[in-house]
Amino acid sequence: MKVALTYNLKKDSTPVQDSPAPPDFYAECDDQETVDAIRAALAEFHTVVLIEADEDAYERFRSERPDLVFNVAEGTWGAAREAQIPAMLEMLRIPYTGSDPVTLALCLDKARTKEVLQARGIATPQFRVAETADQVAGLVAGRGALPAPGAPLLRFPLVVKPLSEGSSKGIVDTALVRDADGLAREVGRVLALYREPAIVEEYLPGREFTVAMLGNGDTLQVLPVVEIRFDSLPSGVNPIYSYEAKWVWDTAEKPLEIFDCPARIDRELALEIETLCRRTWDALRIRDWARIDVRCDAQGRPHVLEVNPLPGILPQAEQNSCFPKAARAAGLSYNVLVRRVLDSAIARCGLRAGSGAIAPPAHFSLR
Ligand SMILES: Nc1ncnc2c1ncn2[C@@H]1O[C@H](COP(=O)(O)OP(=O)(O)O)[C@@H](O)[C@H]1O
Ligand SMILES: [Mg+2]
């Protein structure tokens, strides 16, 4: 089968068009080593072409006409950037791995995602969105604030994050705030640096987990749960998996012992987490693979923090990437993990290896 791998490479400097761009602009993109590792895994069984997800991608798809696309492209611009390559592929009726543009765009907006979860009765921390600095005072309880109709008044401590980022972009150690001054400071920082709204969430103080999932329908598999161990962080910092924790304090040369996998959890909590994640998967119509971040409240009950339908997969064990870590704990090597994602899409789309693509139905909602 001819498989195209689509990706966005990390660049050395931030783009001039968006000057001044935040220093973590490319944090979600892949490095060359990851692209090479995915390509090598696909090449064990298929012919692989590389297509960088830039403005030329559409023409490349038209000239290459791959049977299937393995998509890890994060996109560069806009609130629906993760949906752009899948949208092009739907236009060209080329099948691809992973969720459809609707799900990808939805999950990139943390607030809209949580609204869907709330509508389904799936636990997720209370939140509000601040689009301007002067909305901050109306978000929190006390100070005589009146909530907007139907909106909760939040209670400190709170976590402030950019609305539409991932990889802990913009979630620095100071993003956990305990008072009005801290809240105003962090919302101001997000608005100025990312030029997008800030989502303000009630802080959950309990244990944190991340859950990798693979497959579809009856073959959907929940991989061993990863726990994030905050006791491995430098002393004195906040217990959040911040940008510094992901990218500064944890290096391949000196990895932090930040993950426990399989997490040491009792059967009751394990079942609760699995049920929460399966319900989330269904509510958001996820396909083939995803990683769901979960954190417990003060009573030990798990809530969904956010959903990653394009999870990062750094190849080396020392790089501490959650999805490959969970896969290894389930006995799946990196190459088998990549192949399982591809095979899930092949089965979902009704393709047969070696026989070329069978045109999938126009609506592409195959599950
Ligand atoms: N409401 C919250 N309560 C507790 N910790 C949180 C909350 N929101 C975010 N965090 C911490 O910040 C980290 C990054 O937030 P997350 O929403 O997962 O962003 P990203 O999409 O960048 O991964 C989480 O892994 C968690 O440690
Ligand atoms: Mg996360």
Side-chain angles (χ1 to χ4, degrees):
M1 198 175 266
K2 180 172 175 181
V3 177
L5 169 59
T6 45
Y7 55 92
N8 288 100
L9 272 185
K10 279 191 203 302
K11 307 272 195 271
D12 289 337
S13 57
T14 52
V16 282
Q17 298 99 306
D18 203 35
S19 181
D24 53 7
F25 187 84
Y26 286 114
E28 290 181 282
C29 297
D30 287 301
D31 53 24
Q32 190 65 52
E33 190 189 3
T34 302
V35 173
D36 291 343
I38 299 172
R39 189 232 302 246
L42 296 171
E44 282 188 347
F45 294 91
H46 302 280
T47 306
V48 185
V49 290
L50 298 185
I51 299 184
E52 184 150 14
D54 57 20
E55 285 92 339
D56 298 328
Y58 187 82
E59 289 308 324
R60 293 283 316 282
F61 291 136
R62 290 190 79 187
S63 56
E64 294 283 357
R65 289 286 343 165
D67 297 312
L68 183 64
V69 172
F70 192 98
N71 177 43
V72 294
E74 298 282 342
T76 311
W77 305 112
R81 58 192 181 274
E82 288 185 6
Q84 290 165 355
I85 289 293
M88 286 180 196
L89 294 170
E90 297 211 341
M91 197 163 194
L92 294 166
R93 306 194 75 203
I94 297 172
Y96 55 91
T97 60
S99 296
D100 72 9
V102 178
T103 296
L104 291 168
L106 179 66
C107 291
L108 197 53
D109 183 322
K110 290 187 159 84
R112 287 280 177 264
T113 303
K114 287 158 68 71
E115 283 164 4
V116 171
L117 299 181
Q118 286 178 334
R120 296 285 189 114
I122 297 170
T124 186
Q126 289 282 23
F127 73 101
R128 298 281 300 276
V129 172
E131 291 177 11
T132 57
D134 55 14
Q135 291 172 348
V136 168
L139 303 182
V140 285
R143 311 170 114 231
L146 289 174
L153 283 176
L154 304 176
R155 295 183 183 281
F156 289 109
L158 299 168
V159 180
V160 181
K161 336 188 234 193
L163 183 65
S164 300
E165 304 296 336
S167 305
S168 288
K169 279 175 74 175
I171 310 175
V172 287
D173 186 56
T174 53
L176 172 55
V177 298
R178 296 180 173 78
D179 54 33
D181 288 347
L183 177 61
R185 181 196 66 228
E186 290 302 308
V187 169
R189 189 179 60 78
V190 167
L191 295 177
L193 207 49
Y194 296 91
R195 286 183 266 167
E196 66 186 74
I199 177 168
V200 181
E201 266 183 28
E202 288 190 346
Y203 169 69
L204 299 180
R207 295 170 73 179
E208 179 168 331
F209 307 98
T210 191
V211 183
M213 301 169 79
L214 253 185
N216 289 302
D218 294 344
T219 69
L220 177 60
Q221 187 184 358
V222 178
L223 298 181
V225 172
V226 176
E227 177 160 15
I228 318 296
R229 286 188 33 207
F230 297 112
D231 58 352
S232 71
L233 298 179
S235 63
V237 307
N238 281 318
I240 56 173
Y241 197 22
S242 62
Y243 186 82
E244 296 93 326
K246 241 173 243 182
W247 303 109
V248 182
W249 300 325
D250 188 9
T251 59
E253 300 73 50
K254 236 178 125 212
L256 288 181
E257 292 292 316
I258 193 150
F259 299 142
D260 237 356
C261 183
R264 285 164 239 206
I265 44 179
D266 60 33
R267 283 170 59 93
E268 190 196 347
L269 180 57
L271 190 62
E272 223 178 321
I273 292 173
E274 176 165 344
T275 306
L276 183 77
C277 291
R278 285 184 181 274
R279 290 184 63 207
T280 300
W281 177 285
D282 288 341
L284 298 168
R285 299 206 188 99
I286 297 169
R287 303 189 312 203
D288 300 339
W289 63 332
R291 222 195 64 237
I292 301 179
D293 292 348
V294 170
R295 190 156 183 171
C296 293
D297 61 17
Q299 287 70 46
R301 299 277 70 86
H303 297 237
V304 174
L305 285 185
E306 58 116 13
V307 179
N308 303 281
L310 280 182
I313 46 169
L314 304 181
Q316 307 298 340
E318 317 70 74
Q319 290 172 306
N320 260 349
S321 186
C322 304
F323 206 115
K325 177 112 184 166
R328 278 195 300 278
L332 310 178
S333 68
Y334 189 84
N335 284 14
V336 172
L337 156 61
V338 170
R339 204 183 319 146
R340 285 278 297 274
V341 175
L342 190 81
D343 289 347
S344 297
I346 288 174
R348 173 172 56 76
C349 299
L351 306 176
R352 278 192 306 274
S355 66
I358 296 168
H363 57 78
F364 260 79
S365 66
L366 295 170
R367 307 238 21 237

